Structures are given as C-alpha cells and as structure tokens.
Amino acid sequence: MPKRGYHHGNLRQALIEAALRLIEVKGPTGFTLSEAAKQAGVTPAAVYRHFEGREDLIAEAARQGFSMFADLMQYAYDKGQPSALAAFESTGRAYLAFARKHPGHYIAMFESGISVNRTPELADAATRARGIFERAAAELCEHIPPHKRPPASMFSAHILALSHGVVELYARNSPGTASPYSPEDLLESGIGIYLRGLGLIEPDT
C-alpha cells in the first residue's frame, strides 16, 4: 500500500480508523500494530509515536466509541422527552442502532477486554454514556414505591445486558443464530416484559 502524505495530527486518527477496520474483520486480538500501520500506509515505527502498544490503540478507539455512544444516547433521550417511557425506550433502540452502525467501536468498547479504567479519558466517556441510561431508568421508576423500586444502576444494567445479548446473538448474522424475529422486535418485546414486571406499563389484554 503506498504511503499517504499526512498532515500533523492526522496519522493518529488514521491509525485508529485502520484498527477499527481490522477489529471488524479479525477481532480485537486478531491483528498486530504492524498490520494497523500497513492499513494506514505508514511504517510500524510511526505507530509508536502515538501509541505504546495495540492495547493503547484499542483503548483510544473505545474512548471515541463511548463518546459517540454517549452523544447518541443523549440525542435519543432528549427525543423521547417529556415522556419518561418514550425516553427510556428510545435509548434502548439507540443501543442497537449504534452496534449496527459502528461495529468496530462497539467491539473495542465491550468485547476487547480493555478496562474502561485504563485511562481517565476512557473512564469519563464510559461513565457519561452509562449515566444517561441510568437517568432514563431513574425517571421511569419515580412512581414505583421506594421499597419496591430497583436501583437505577441495576435497572439500567439489566436492560443493557439484554441489549448486548440481542446484539451478540442476533444482530451479527452469526451462523446458527438466526431468529424468526428481528433484533429490534426481540429487544422491544424483552424490554416490554421487564417493564410489565415492574408495573411500569399495562399488561397485555
């Protein structure tokens, strides 16, 4: 691959984008820094001007992913207002939409084994994204009696786990995991069952 002429500051992002493409194809542990450098059209030595190793490169991809994810979640939350239920359901759909549109970032964020506490910047981005979902859960639970009300962090963790499961099993077109229902329908019905169990929406009649 011929080397490209990068202006100052562009190489770092070019390496991140190369890593994202490799992550989509090979997974977070299936490529080397040399491969990322080749994808970006530079020598392996150039990578070390910006990243100490592959984990640092993936961590930055994850940080960018969480920042994008938080922006999308905030947009979805705002779009659903002033209805707490609509805001909550909108953030759930945004999770699936993000995983579909940004698979490289999603894998770096949730499947790479990189701790969200690896850098302060990564931790801040992850906390911001999680906080939006927890706020949506807290507002939805406001009318549940306090002694029956689940902690917002637990509530949101349950829904995030359900969302992640739908993505992993049915939104990646993995062999042998075909479902007669769309991922969107599976996620919506699963969230509906959860919310009915808490008395937050009316039972089916």
Side-chain angles (χ1 to χ4, degrees):
M1 182 181 293
K3 294 181 180 179
R4 307 185 187 101
Y6 289 106
H7 296 292
H8 179 71
N10 288 2
L11 175 56
R12 180 180 174 87
Q13 187 59 35
L15 289 167
I16 295 167
E17 291 171 2
L20 289 168
R21 291 192 294 271
L22 289 165
I23 288 170
E24 288 184 34
V25 175
K26 297 186 173 184
T29 61
F31 73 96
T32 64
L33 280 179
S34 294
E35 288 179 284
K38 185 178 180 180
Q39 283 265 344
V42 298
T43 64
V47 180
Y48 292 98
R49 300 173 191 165
H50 300 277
F51 302 101
E52 294 184 4
R54 182 179 61 189
E55 289 74 17
D56 289 327
L57 177 55
I58 296 172
E60 177 56 19
R63 184 202 66 76
Q64 290 188 4
F66 273 115
S67 181
M68 294 161 54
F69 184 56
D71 289 343
L72 178 62
M73 295 286 276
Q74 185 66 59
Y75 174 81
Y77 173 84
D78 292 341
K79 186 178 180 181
Q81 291 295 328
S83 166
L85 177 59
F88 183 80
E89 291 178 335
S90 183
T91 56
R93 287 190 293 270
Y95 185 103
L96 184 56
F98 179 88
R100 283 184 178 280
K101 188 173 181 180
H102 304 286
H105 285 102
Y106 184 89
I107 293 169
M109 293 156 61
F110 297 114
E111 301 171 16
S112 65
I114 300 295
S115 170
V116 294
N117 295 314
R118 185 177 182 89
T119 68
E121 295 79 12
L122 175 55
D124 287 346
T127 298
R128 183 165 74 92
R130 187 170 57 247
I132 295 165
F133 207 69
E134 288 185 8
R135 184 166 74 249
E139 290 180 359
L140 190 56
C141 288
E142 283 182 353
H143 300 297
I144 298 177
H147 67 283
K148 294 183 178 180
R149 185 185 306 162
S153 58
M154 178 184 291
F155 188 130
S156 61
H158 286 163
I159 300 301
L160 288 173
L162 174 61
S163 303
H164 187 72
V166 169
V167 168
E168 287 300 295
L169 291 174
Y170 303 112
R172 294 275 180 84
N173 297 317
S174 301
T177 60
S179 168
Y181 309 101
S182 71
E184 289 80 6
D185 287 345
L186 286 170
L187 182 57
E188 183 176 347
S189 62
I191 291 176
I193 291 169
Y194 187 90
L195 298 182
R196 287 187 187 93
L198 291 173
L200 291 170
I201 60 176
E202 293 296 325
D204 289 333
T205 55

